Amino acid sequence: MQLVTIDDISAAADRIRGWVVRTPLIPAPWGDPERPLWLKPENLQAVGAFKVRGAFNAIARLDEATRARGVVAYSSGNHAQAVAYAAARFGISAAIVMPEETPGVKIAATRSHGAEVMLCAAGEREKIADEVVARTGGVLIPPFDHPDVIAGQGTVGLEIAEDLPDVANVIVPVSGGGLASGVGTAIKALAPGAEVIGVEPELAADTAEGLAAGHRVDWSIEDRNRTIADGLRSQPSALTFAHLQKVLDTLITVSENDIRSAVREIALSAHLVSEPSGATALAAYRSRDTPPGPTVLVVSGGNVEPALLAEILAP
Amino acid sequence: MQLVTIDDISAAADRIRGWVVRTPLIPAPWGDPERPLWLKPENLQAVGAFKVRGAFNAIARLDEATRARGVVAYSSGNHAQAVAYAAARFGISAAIVMPEETPGVKIAATRSHGAEVMLCAAGEREKIADEVVARTGGVLIPPFDHPDVIAGQGTVGLEIAEDLPDVANVIVPVSGGGLASGVGTAIKALAPGAEVIGVEPELAADTAEGLAAGHRVDWSIEDRNRTIADGLRSQPSALTFAHLQKVLDTLITVSENDIRSAVREIALSAHLVSEPSGATALAAYRSRDTPPGPTVLVVSGGNVEPALLAEILAP
């Protein structure tokens, strides 16, 4: 299987420059002294998540005639917004298939970029997206199972290595695995001494189980939907799993309470709004003994329902 | 009266580099199309506010023997944290006098940097700080009434002009006026075509009244304490008022409801936690017709009480 390379990621970085925010590393002096802490605030991207990186890279790579037919995506939220936003910037149409249980804030945001949104039952979204592709001739931009998407997300890792060459640990959430695959590939190439640590909710820990078993395992949608980290309910594809087997040094699972505490801590100490998925790296940092040394947490997104954030912040 | 110059601000930028975060301009595509919007997120500084800039510049300017006697400050909050944090980084002691009504989160944060905190009745803080100075021989670092503090805060404006040379409007909160004086001085020097727009709460609009009258006016502490924007309850000194007269093109006042809405919008659209004072620039942008063109809002700080933020976010 052909894996994404650092050259693919460097090319993606050149391609998406000007479209996405080059997020800074924010020093967090409230971390442990032995594990000095930086945050990579991908919640500051235009759509509130790292997903714009892969979406812009994948759409930019299409030839003009193909791109003009528009793009299609299925997503639980942030990838939907990212494709809708990138399509609007390219002046092309976007049709987005979203599961019914998607938080309302993410549906509204996707529509606000001019995309057509189709809601569907859980588990149906890939089938319906395929039907839209057949009907419109548009190009499917998958949420993670594509080299161009993985390379785009990998620019997060490239920037971390550029800004903090002596990074010792990078902690990154794992769902479908596009972000962790890309970040891990970049870090292993540019900062080979660093550990790449994945993090999953205990309630959606299929990848932790799969890595231990040496092959992908399938958790039911119903099981994975139990976590409040609604961005971490997907499972790796064969492509992303192969990357994760190669680039992850370890994978930590975190409880729902750990995740809630991390959302609160990021809001009050870092002054960043993170969605539950986006706070899991801090939950891992706080709940386990990650190794000493300069540590970067990827805060992957910030699209949280206001009511949930209010509940978490209330004393 | 000797006003701070762009050379003072450039020198401050060199002096504080490495101590403070060079915050990025975050594009905010959810702004008005005719007034494209960027945020300058000073809430991402280590203490959650721009105040570190002035504190580091003022302390760095002291000769070593003087600095070794420690520093003293009086502040309603963010300046206190900034001086405490900067003193800790310089390895010197800090004694901070804070009014009793200061939000608990700010008192705890100040103590967390190792500073000695003395609470006092409203209106007493300057007197008590003077007593501490007399007793310890420490150096008073004023919250705004000092050229080194103004020059340090001015680095916010210098960075805005560097990152967005064609900026048309910079909207900046006004309290004691250190931030607005410094930012306005930098913008008028480096982007002379840009408007510098101050913003105050209607309930603490002494500067709006003073600028209209052509001289400072005094509002009672009781009146100024009515606003939830607890960082905007100070009044300019003669020094900062002279700067504001020279560099502010206009000053907009905003209601308490405008401020609450802006805190909510910054959290949900920009994924940044701002304190009420820090959100006033967005309140001004939303409540009045500020001129067209690229607009930068200075999000001055993020130290908000969790209960207040939860209340504002609850649907």
Side-chain angles (χ1 to χ4, degrees):
Chain A
M1 186 180 300
Q2 181 91 23
L3 300 190
V4 167
T5 67
I6 185 63
D7 291 341
D8 297 327
I9 295 170
S10 296
D14 290 339
R15 210 172 279 125
I16 69 178
R17 191 167 293 132
W19 296 104
V20 309
V21 179
R22 194 194 180 292
T23 53
L25 280 189
I26 305 290
W30 40 273
D32 296 347
E34 316 84 56
R35 300 180 300 160
L37 192 59
W38 282 262
L39 305 186
K40 181 71 170 168
E42 288 296 301
N43 61 332
L44 300 185
Q45 296 291 351
V47 304
F50 72 93
K51 293 279 190 179
V52 282
R53 296 172 181 267
F56 271 107
N57 191 48
I59 296 176
R61 288 262 288 163
L62 300 175
D63 69 78
E64 212 162 323
T66 307
R67 190 160 56 219
R69 296 202 298 270
V71 289
V72 181
Y74 53 87
S75 161
S76 62
N78 285 333
H79 177 63
Q81 288 185 59
V83 171
Y85 176 76
R89 297 292 294 271
F90 275 104
I92 61 175
S93 67
I96 313 287
V97 181
M98 304 181 88
E100 289 160 347
E101 74 273 16
T102 304
V105 66
K106 295 189 178 183
I107 294 171
T110 304
R111 287 199 170 118
S112 78
H113 299 302
E116 182 192 359
V117 172
M118 282 154 285
L119 296 179
C120 69
E124 294 278 293
R125 58 192 188 175
E126 302 187 25
K127 194 189 75 180
I128 292 181
D130 288 343
E131 289 169 8
V132 176
V133 167
R135 177 160 51 80
T136 64
V139 178
L140 184 71
I141 308 291
F144 51 84
D145 187 28
H146 195 291
D148 294 342
V149 174
I150 294 170
Q153 321 305 29
T155 59
V156 171
L158 184 145
E159 293 171 6
I160 291 170
E162 281 177 354
D163 291 354
L164 193 68
D166 66 341
V167 60
N169 303 293
V170 177
I171 311 183
V172 56
V174 175
S175 180
L179 176 64
S181 294
V183 168
T185 300
I187 293 296
K188 289 301 178 192
L190 303 176
E195 300 256 306
V196 180
I197 300 168
V199 53
E200 275 186 317
E202 289 171 0
L203 298 183
D206 55 281
T207 301
E209 190 181 320
L211 289 173
H215 56 80
R216 288 190 291 158
V217 298
D218 189 41
W219 284 35
S220 71
I221 289 175
E222 292 70 28
D223 275 358
R224 287 179 273 135
N225 278 355
R226 293 171 303 168
T227 179
I228 55 166
D230 56 280
L232 301 184
R233 292 172 181 164
S234 295
Q235 299 187 141
S237 64
L239 180 65
T240 53
F241 193 78
H243 284 82
L244 298 178
Q245 283 185 304
K246 187 177 168 203
V247 300
L248 285 191
D249 292 291
T250 181
L251 197 152
I252 290 173
T253 61
V254 293
S255 74
E256 299 294 295
N257 274 342
D258 292 342
I259 296 171
R260 286 173 179 264
S261 297
V263 168
R264 184 178 169 92
E265 185 176 358
I266 289 177
L268 300 181
S269 296
H271 309 106
L272 293 169
V273 171
S274 63
E275 57 189 273
S277 310
T280 53
L282 180 62
Y285 177 85
R286 286 297 185 209
S287 66
R288 300 286 180 102
D289 278 342
T290 55
T295 299
V296 173
L297 310 180
V298 179
V299 179
S300 54
N303 293 310
V304 59
E305 288 281 356
L308 175 60
L309 183 57
E311 178 198 315
I312 288 172
L313 288 168
Chain B
M1 188 181 298
Q2 181 92 25
L3 301 190
V4 167
T5 67
I6 185 63
D7 291 340
D8 297 327
I9 295 170
S10 296
D14 290 339
R15 209 171 280 126
I16 69 179
R17 191 167 291 131
W19 297 104
V20 308
V21 179
R22 194 195 179 292
T23 53
L25 280 189
I26 305 291
W30 40 273
D32 296 348
E34 316 84 58
R35 301 181 298 161
L37 191 60
W38 282 261
L39 305 186
K40 181 72 171 167
E42 288 296 302
N43 60 331
L44 301 185
Q45 295 292 352
V47 303
F50 71 94
K51 293 279 190 180
V52 281
R53 295 173 182 267
F56 272 106
N57 192 47
I59 296 176
R61 288 263 286 162
L62 300 174
D63 70 78
E64 210 161 325
T66 307
R67 189 159 59 219
R69 296 202 299 270
V71 289
V72 181
Y74 53 88
S75 161
S76 62
N78 285 333
H79 177 63
Q81 288 185 60
V83 171
Y85 176 76
R89 296 294 293 269
F90 276 104
I92 60 175
S93 67
I96 313 287
V97 181
M98 304 180 89
E100 289 159 348
E101 74 274 16
T102 303
V105 66
K106 295 189 179 183
I107 295 172
T110 304
R111 287 197 170 120
S112 77
H113 300 301
E116 181 191 0
V117 172
M118 280 154 285
L119 296 178
C120 70
E124 293 279 294
R125 57 192 189 176
E126 302 186 28
K127 194 189 76 183
I128 293 182
D130 287 345
E131 289 170 7
V132 176
V133 166
R135 178 159 50 81
T136 65
V139 178
L140 183 70
I141 308 291
F144 51 84
D145 187 29
H146 195 290
D148 295 341
V149 174
I150 295 170
Q153 323 302 30
T155 59
V156 171
L158 184 145
E159 293 171 6
I160 291 171
E162 282 177 351
D163 290 355
L164 193 69
D166 67 342
V167 61
N169 304 292
V170 176
I171 312 183
V172 55
V174 175
S175 180
L179 177 65
S181 295
V183 167
T185 299
I187 294 296
K188 290 301 178 191
L190 302 176
E195 301 255 306
V196 179
I197 301 168
V199 53
E200 273 186 316
E202 289 171 0
L203 297 183
D206 56 281
T207 301
E209 190 181 321
L211 290 173
H215 56 80
R216 287 191 291 159
V217 298
D218 189 42
W219 285 35
S220 72
I221 289 176
E222 292 70 28
D223 276 358
R224 288 180 272 135
N225 277 354
R226 293 170 303 169
T227 179
I228 55 165
D230 57 280
L232 301 184
R233 293 173 180 163
S234 295
Q235 299 187 141
S237 64
L239 179 66
T240 55
F241 192 79
H243 284 82
L244 297 177
Q245 284 185 302
K246 187 178 168 204
V247 300
L248 285 191
D249 292 290
T250 181
L251 196 152
I252 290 174
T253 61
V254 293
S255 73
E256 299 294 295
N257 275 342
D258 293 343
I259 296 171
R260 286 173 179 265
S261 296
V263 169
R264 184 179 168 90
E265 185 176 359
I266 289 177
L268 300 181
S269 295
H271 309 106
L272 293 170
V273 171
S274 63
E275 58 188 272
S277 310
T280 53
L282 180 61
Y285 178 84
R286 287 296 185 208
S287 66
R288 300 286 179 100
D289 280 341
T290 56
T295 299
V296 173
L297 310 180
V298 179
V299 179
S300 54
N303 291 311
V304 59
E305 288 281 353
L308 175 60
L309 182 57
E311 178 198 313
I312 288 173
L313 288 168

